[in-house]
Amino acid sequence: MKPAPFAYHKARSLDDALAHLAAHKDARLLAGGQSLIATLNMRLSAPTLLVDINGIAGLDRIEVKGDAIEIGALVRHAQAERSDVIAKHVPLIARAMPHIAHPAIRNRGTLGGSIAFADPAAELPACLLALGGAIVASGPNGTRAIKADDFFKGLFETALSPDEIVTALRVPMARPDSRIGFAELARRHGDYAIVGLAATARTTGEKLADVRLAYFGVGDTPVRARKAETALAEGNIDDAVGALDLSPHDDVQATAATKKHLAGVLLRRVAKQLMEAVHA
Ligand SMILES: Cc1cc2nc3c(=O)[nH]c(=O)nc-3n(C[C@H](O)[C@H](O)[C@H](O)COP(=O)(O)OP(=O)(O)OC[C@H]3O[C@@H](n4cnc5c(N)ncnc54)[C@H](O)[C@@H]3O)c2cc1C
């Protein structure tokens, strides 16, 4: 199908993009276009104006800021995949990146677009949640940071208002005692996951602490399995699997019962990674 007619504006600055969003209530931002263009072509959305943010300088930087890493919204998946800073300081994102779609899509798709689109089966929203990261957004009232825990509100729904632009993702830098785990089950490598799990923890001697288990593909948003987090910190994987408090729906990929079973399988794999992997 072809999209409904729309006007196009290439923004030259953040202020310019914000002004266009403010003036056109049904405008949509265009980043990598890898999700948006499909929704336009299928006429799932019909904005009258597309505001292209690809020409805004400075949104494609990966920077160390204190004990956090800021990843600009326009950083492409492929750029993040190749980044030494991300590999060293945010290894969870480095681990997840090759699972996102295929190289051609990763060359265009942006991290900001993926977070703003908030597909519940996507890897990055779950990684950001597992990392305890934040989304930096600019709007008519200035800039704010929204915790990932508060950002994902419902199916493709976020805490962003229509006149705000994600400018960066902010994630805490991994520490020597940080541990990460990541696993997903997909029909083919590069497909959206049937179920996936991104996790972080710290080690305190033989035990795990601050366990964060963020599932994707099991609900309307990425979901933390909080009871399982507590059980895993107490050291018992069987108890953690038994405590999995997820309520997936049936979808085109699998039934709810299959997803719940697979969530347990992934938890066992990821628990091993958390306990074994040493991030130096
Ligand atoms: C065949 C195929 C397979 C895919 N498989 C996967 C997969 O396995 N895992 C996965 O995670 N993704 C997958 N994707 C999606 C891909 O990662 C997208 O690139 C990503 O979800 C959206 O990023 P984008 O930059 O292309 O955003 P766009 O398509 O440009 O925009 C998506 C939405 O976000 C909004 N938006 C974009 N940038 C901003 C911003 N800075 N601030 C506020 N709103 C913004 C847009 O207005 C739009 O509503 C797949 C895509 C395709 C086509």
Side-chain angles (χ1 to χ4, degrees):
M1 275 180 69
K2 296 251 186 316
F6 56 80
Y8 169 89
H9 174 73
K10 182 147 191 173
R12 294 293 166 195
S13 68
L14 195 55
D15 286 346
D16 180 27
L18 288 170
H20 277 77
L21 284 187
H24 302 267
K25 292 299 172 202
D26 73 338
R28 294 295 288 274
L29 295 174
L30 173 67
Q34 298 303 297
S35 299
L36 179 63
I37 300 300
T39 67
L40 298 186
N41 287 346
M42 289 188 275
R43 300 212 175 190
L44 294 172
S45 64
T48 54
L49 173 68
L50 287 193
V51 180
D52 183 344
I53 57 173
N54 285 277
I56 302 178
L59 293 187
D60 59 353
R61 295 197 191 118
I62 301 169
E63 290 176 308
V64 177
K65 287 204 173 164
D67 56 1
I69 303 293
E70 267 199 18
I71 306 171
L74 283 178
V75 169
R76 313 276 168 194
H77 300 324
Q79 184 187 347
E81 199 176 352
R82 289 192 302 264
S83 162
D84 293 339
V85 175
I86 289 186
K88 181 168 180 204
H89 297 300
V90 203
L92 180 63
I93 289 185
R95 178 90 67 90
M97 208 51 71
H99 294 273
I100 299 176
H102 309 284
I105 292 159
R106 295 204 292 274
N107 279 338
R108 286 304 299 165
T110 65
L111 272 68
S114 178
I115 294 294
F117 192 59
D119 190 314
E123 289 82 359
L124 281 169
C127 288
L128 206 63
L129 191 59
L131 287 161
I135 292 91
V136 184
S138 285
N141 301 321
T143 298
R144 63 180 179 137
I146 310 159
K147 282 184 186 164
D149 277 302
D150 302 327
F151 187 76
F152 302 102
K153 295 289 189 193
L155 192 59
F156 299 106
E157 202 189 314
T158 71
L160 278 182
S161 57
D163 52 6
E164 284 184 305
I165 299 177
V166 174
T167 54
L169 313 181
R170 189 177 290 156
V171 283
M173 214 182 255
R175 308 179 335 185
D177 62 350
S178 297
R179 299 289 180 270
I180 58 156
F182 182 89
E184 71 173 56
L185 292 159
R187 285 187 194 280
R188 291 174 308 183
H189 186 83
D191 283 1
Y192 274 106
I194 302 168
V195 181
L197 173 57
T200 60
R202 284 187 310 108
T203 49
T204 54
E206 293 299 299
K207 285 213 157 189
L208 294 176
D210 298 340
V211 179
R212 292 175 71 98
L213 300 171
Y215 276 93
F216 48 106
V218 297
D220 289 348
T221 62
V223 182
R224 277 182 70 188
R226 291 177 189 266
K227 288 186 185 155
E229 289 174 355
T230 308
L232 200 56
E234 280 158 15
N236 192 317
I237 296 179
D238 288 335
D239 284 355
V241 172
L244 265 181
D245 44 343
L246 303 172
S247 321
H249 314 299
D250 294 351
D251 67 19
V252 287
Q253 299 226 61
T255 63
T258 303
K259 281 176 180 265
K260 217 168 168 185
H261 169 73
L262 296 178
V265 172
L266 291 183
L267 181 49
R268 289 183 191 282
R269 292 182 188 174
V270 163
K272 272 196 189 152
Q273 293 172 17
L274 289 174
M275 285 165 178
E276 285 167 8
V278 176
H279 173 73

